Amino acid sequence: MPKILLFLIVLVFIASCKDPVSETVEAQGTGWEIVVDSLPVKSSVNSKAELLLKDWKEYTSVERSFDKLYNTEFREDFVLILEELIENQKKMEDSVYPSAFDIPQIKSRQKVFKTFILKTKGDLEYRQNPKESIIQMIVAFNNLRNQFNVVVNNTLLEELRANEEN
């Protein structure tokens, strides 16, 4: 009987010495890759708008910060990039707009973009699922870029001015 008891104690001791670290590592790595992989694609700007935007340094810095969002691997990196995006967006908001883009349509799209940046930041700070707000932020940025295209392609105002002069 003492041999069986000793054998059970040794068996319990060996079983309790297994390493549970591998289980926690698996739990920490899940989730964020799914969010980044399912983001919508950034829309393109046509060549007319691109010519006007390339000289606008503040917008260029916002666009570079925005492009970094697609390359994040960890939540903490995303938070830092989002902070950079907020700072660059503030600089763009306070900057001098190119004359073609100094209109209410562009400024309102930029305010919507700022709103969704801050919503995403709030979701990340309060440990909410940020996927929906990130998608809304990207859609708002795409809408801003599409508005640049609309402005440079819209020749109606120029045609109306030409008709008034005649």
Side-chain angles (χ1 to χ4, degrees):
M1 183 76 174
K3 289 182 183 181
I4 295 174
L5 188 59
L6 181 62
F7 178 72
L8 287 175
I9 291 174
V10 170
L11 185 65
V12 169
F13 180 73
I14 291 173
S16 67
C17 290
K18 73 176 187 177
D19 190 18
V21 175
S22 62
E23 294 173 8
T24 58
V25 171
E26 291 174 13
Q28 291 174 351
T30 59
W32 188 250
E33 296 84 14
I34 296 169
V35 171
V36 175
D37 290 341
S38 61
L39 295 179
V41 179
K42 184 175 93 169
S43 66
S44 61
V45 176
N46 67 22
S47 59
K48 291 180 188 178
E50 191 67 41
L51 288 173
L52 295 172
L53 291 172
K54 73 176 182 178
D55 295 330
W56 191 10
K57 292 184 292 188
E58 292 81 6
Y59 173 77
T60 306
S61 62
V62 167
E63 189 173 20
R64 271 187 266 132
S65 298
F66 188 81
D67 289 339
K68 291 178 187 177
L69 295 176
Y70 289 96
N71 300 326
T72 58
E73 295 181 14
F74 303 105
R75 183 184 189 102
E76 293 78 18
D77 293 340
F78 192 85
V79 170
L80 292 174
I81 292 169
L82 196 63
E83 290 293 330
E84 178 185 341
L85 186 62
I86 290 170
E87 290 301 317
N88 289 334
Q89 192 279 330
K90 285 180 186 177
K91 290 176 186 175
M92 184 174 96
E93 190 175 37
D94 295 336
S95 71
V96 176
Y97 289 72
S99 60
F101 298 140
D102 194 14
I103 56 175
Q105 292 90 335
I106 298 293
K107 291 181 180 183
S108 67
R109 297 289 192 289
Q110 185 180 353
K111 286 188 187 284
V112 171
F113 177 55
K114 177 182 177 182
T115 301
F116 286 116
I117 292 173
L118 296 175
K119 180 181 178 187
T120 303
K121 179 183 176 186
D123 286 350
L124 290 169
E125 284 181 3
Y126 293 112
R127 297 286 184 186
Q128 302 293 319
N129 185 4
K131 184 175 181 177
E132 181 181 336
S133 59
I134 292 170
I135 291 172
Q136 290 171 337
M137 177 182 65
I138 292 171
V139 168
F141 187 71
N142 285 340
N143 289 340
L144 175 65
R145 291 173 62 86
N146 289 336
Q147 190 64 38
F148 291 141
N149 291 338
V150 168
V151 168
V152 296
N153 290 334
N154 187 5
T155 60
L156 181 62
L157 186 58
E158 295 169 7
E159 292 173 8
L160 288 174
R161 288 182 184 160
N163 286 339
E164 287 178 2
E165 292 174 2
N166 293 333

